[in-house]
Amino acid sequence: EEEVSIVSPMALGGLKTPEYLALNPQGKMPLLTVSETPGPGLLAIPESDTICRYLLSRYSDIGPSFLPDDVRSNLIARLHDMYITTVQGCLY
């Protein structure tokens, strides 16, 4: 079983500290860090869409799949993602 820890960026001194910027050069949240064993060590994954896609792929063999398995629905989902990406800055 894997252990999950939710840690505030304040544990590293904030979003703009060298420690946090080494993990996420944009200095934004969210950020998921994963220990890859075997592998390069710590994998830092910024941005919620990228984090979701990583988790869906990484744990695809556990439980039901949330990834659509249809070319048309995949196309619609990606177009929706691209639309949301362009206006997302206005939401913050």
Side-chain angles (χ1 to χ4, degrees):
E1 218 171 284
E2 297 180 38
E3 187 174 313
V4 174
S5 297
I6 299 174
V7 180
S8 167
M10 293 309 294
L12 295 173
L15 297 173
K16 301 300 180 186
T17 61
E19 294 82 5
Y20 191 82
L21 292 172
L23 298 170
N24 185 355
Q26 295 177 332
K28 296 181 179 179
M29 288 179 55
L31 173 69
L32 173 69
T33 56
V34 180
S35 296
E36 290 285 308
T37 309
L42 191 65
L43 175 63
I45 308 169
E47 300 297 333
S48 56
D49 181 65
T50 308
I51 292 169
C52 289
R53 290 175 188 279
Y54 168 81
L55 293 172
L56 287 170
S57 297
R58 174 69 175 83
Y59 298 102
S60 63
D61 59 334
I62 300 173
S65 174
F66 290 96
L67 293 173
D69 193 24
D70 176 69
V71 175
R72 184 178 173 90
S73 62
N74 286 341
L75 173 65
I76 292 168
R78 290 306 299 152
L79 289 172
H80 182 265
D81 289 347
M82 295 311 299
Y83 170 75
I84 293 296
T85 300
T86 60
V87 299
Q88 189 172 14
C90 301
L91 301 175
Y92 297 103

